[in-house]
Amino acid sequence: WVHWDVSIGNIMFLKDPEVRNPVIEDETSENKCLGIILDADHVISLEQYKPAALSTHCMGTLPFMSYWIIDSWTNADKIKHTALNDFESFIWV
C-alpha cells in the first residue's frame, strides 16, 4: 500500500491499544491496533498502481515528504512514488 500523504495530521495513536481485525492481513499481522492512518482516500494498493501514474504534481505535506520526491520536483523529473517514500515520511513524523 502507498499512502502519498503520511504526516502528523494523518496518524492517530490509540491511548490503549485494542484488539481489532486487521484491514491488511499478512503473516506479520498482530491483532492489537496501536494506531490509525487517516485520509484513506490517498491510499492505493501496489497492484492498482500503474507505472504510468507518475508523480507530476505536488501531493503531500511538505515537512514530511520524501527528499527523493521533493528533489525530483525541483528538477522537473517524473518519478514513481513508492512505499519507500512513505517509509521516509514515517521517519520524519
Side-chain angles (χ1 to χ4, degrees):
W1 295 91
V2 180
H3 188 277
W4 290 76
D5 190 18
V6 176
S7 66
I8 289 175
N10 288 335
I11 299 174
M12 289 185 1
F13 289 101
L14 299 175
K15 183 177 179 182
D16 298 315
E18 56 189 53
V19 176
R20 290 188 179 186
N21 292 328
V23 175
I24 304 168
E25 196 163 348
D26 63 15
E27 63 275 356
T28 62
S29 294
E30 296 182 14
N31 289 337
K32 286 278 187 169
C33 178
L34 303 175
I36 301 167
I37 297 177
L38 305 176
D39 269 351
D41 56 327
H42 293 285
V43 176
I44 188 168
S45 72
L46 290 175
E47 291 82 23
Q48 295 173 335
Y49 196 67
K50 305 290 184 219
L54 298 171
S55 294
T56 57
H57 61 281
C58 184
M59 186 171 186
T61 305
L62 196 58
F64 308 104
M65 290 175 68
S66 160
Y67 174 78
W68 187 55
I69 295 288
I70 294 171
D71 186 56
S72 73
W73 287 332
T74 59
N75 295 320
D77 294 334
K78 294 180 181 180
I79 62 165
K80 185 176 178 183
H81 186 105
T82 67
L84 288 175
N85 299 115
D86 282 352
F87 182 71
E88 183 178 341
S89 293
F90 276 110
I91 292 170
W92 294 121
V93 170

